[in-house]
Amino acid sequence: MSAQHSVSVALLQASQSEVLQEIQSDFLLNSSLWVNIALAGVSILLFVYMGRNIESPRAKFIWVATLLVPLVSLSSYAGLASGLTVGFLEMPAGHALAGQEVLSPWGRYLTWALSTPMILLALGLLADTDRPTLFTAITMDIGMCITGLAAALITSSYLLRWVFYGISCAFFLAVLYVLLVEWPGDAAAAGTGEIFGTLKLLTVVLWLGYPILWALGSEGIAVLSVGVTSWGYSGLDILAKYVFAFLLLRWVADNEGVVDDASAGSMATGTAPADD
Ligand code: RET
């Protein structure tokens, strides 16, 4: 048992240092990770500063959800840059890189399951939606990320990679439905319609870029290299996370009264609006 254990630990370490070497020898890939680590760090400090005077429970709730986005991102990118959440996968027959060992930064898909729900939580609170709709958006989103992870990790069948990709897209449609159909009305009623409209557009347009990149990158039809794909995700992340969160927080800090007056304040605080 202990001999077996040390063999597996040795293998894990060997593959981790191999992966780290591979990452560090690819400037494009390595820079796409470190730029995000730096930006996440700056965003955390900036967002803490921006939220320093926020007092109302509802605005605080949005602030913490928003702050968690760069916090998760920093951890996620540190995991990728260290090689911990990156592995070599042998692609199945049918894939453009069949039989080759392809570097897979699977940690990205895993940590999206933590960061994207925070984005949706902040947006749902801003729109002052009801709990079932918020629950729907968040659970569908987690479903999207986890089945996207499965699509990236499957090495037994090329077809099944795309089956999971399709399932993930179906979850994504539910998220888009909530964002485009359910929440705009809620936000208008809560008096946050304008900022919600801007953030919704930013979110929908940028989020659509992720499945396109997946399909074109080495996980999909492999017309883009690992480094270019990684920069694609990093670029989208910069806009969908840091720029998005900055716009949201700036508005919330300037309009705390509007956020707090939102009619169903009971959802954010668990108290009746009169008690807020
Ligand atoms: C995958 C591949 C499978 C199909 C779909 C995907 C969608 C991913 C999205 C990710 C958004 C990530 C963000 C991260 C910020 O931290 C998993 C790429 C639909 C929409 C905004």
Side-chain angles (χ1 to χ4, degrees):
M1 150 71 193
S2 81
Q4 203 182 357
H5 178 72
S6 30
V7 168
S8 41
V9 168
L11 277 176
L12 185 67
Q13 283 172 351
S15 74
Q16 264 193 34
S17 48
E18 242 180 88
V19 164
L20 185 61
Q21 263 180 356
E22 179 83 12
I23 294 172
Q24 290 179 342
S25 65
D26 185 337
F27 175 77
L28 209 56
L29 174 60
N30 205 24
S31 59
S32 74
L33 306 177
W34 283 99
V35 163
N36 258 277
I37 292 178
L39 281 175
V42 172
S43 303
I44 292 164
L45 298 177
L46 177 67
F47 296 169
V48 168
Y49 178 78
M50 286 169 79
R52 71 196 180 287
N53 293 326
I54 294 179
E55 299 252 305
S56 76
R58 190 178 183 78
K60 261 192 194 156
F61 199 174
I62 298 182
W63 175 50
V64 175
T66 312
L67 187 59
L68 273 161
V69 176
L71 282 169
V72 170
S73 190
L74 185 78
S75 322
S76 168
Y77 276 101
L80 293 170
S82 67
L84 176 67
T85 56
V86 181
F88 284 109
L89 295 180
E90 194 182 318
M91 288 300 164
H95 190 279
L97 306 171
Q100 293 182 35
E101 297 276 320
V102 178
L103 201 69
S104 169
W106 53 266
R108 260 190 204 285
Y109 313 118
L110 185 67
T111 52
W112 287 345
L114 300 170
S115 59
T116 52
M118 293 305 129
I119 295 177
L120 293 174
L121 175 60
L123 276 175
L125 289 170
L126 180 72
D128 194 27
T129 188
D130 56 274
R131 284 180 208 206
T133 316
L134 187 61
F135 180 76
T136 306
I138 289 179
T139 49
M140 296 294 162
D141 170 69
I142 295 174
M144 173 190 83
C145 296
I146 300 299
T147 50
L149 173 68
L153 287 181
I154 289 175
T155 53
S156 56
S157 149
Y158 185 53
L159 176 67
L160 280 173
R161 290 177 71 84
W162 286 106
V163 168
F164 268 97
Y165 179 88
I167 298 172
S168 178
C169 286
F171 278 119
F172 186 33
L173 284 179
V175 176
L176 289 177
Y177 177 83
V178 172
L179 276 171
L180 291 169
V181 181
E182 296 282 340
W183 286 354
D186 293 344
T192 56
E194 203 176 319
I195 180 70
F196 181 84
T198 308
L199 295 173
K200 175 197 73 182
L201 193 69
L202 194 71
T203 302
V204 168
V205 170
L206 293 169
W207 285 35
L208 279 169
Y210 289 81
I212 296 175
L213 256 179
W214 196 101
L216 297 179
S218 46
E219 317 280 12
I221 61 171
V223 293
L224 301 177
S225 71
V226 174
V228 171
T229 313
S230 187
W231 253 115
Y233 284 133
S234 291
L236 287 174
D237 273 5
I238 290 168
L239 299 169
K241 293 202 267 208
Y242 317 127
V243 173
F244 166 92
F246 174 79
L247 293 175
L248 174 57
L249 266 189
R250 193 180 55 173
W251 191 91
V252 169
D254 290 348
N255 298 276
E256 221 184 315
V258 181
V259 174
D260 217 28
D261 284 350
S263 55
S266 50
M267 193 188 72
T269 58
T271 56
D275 295 334
D276 279 354

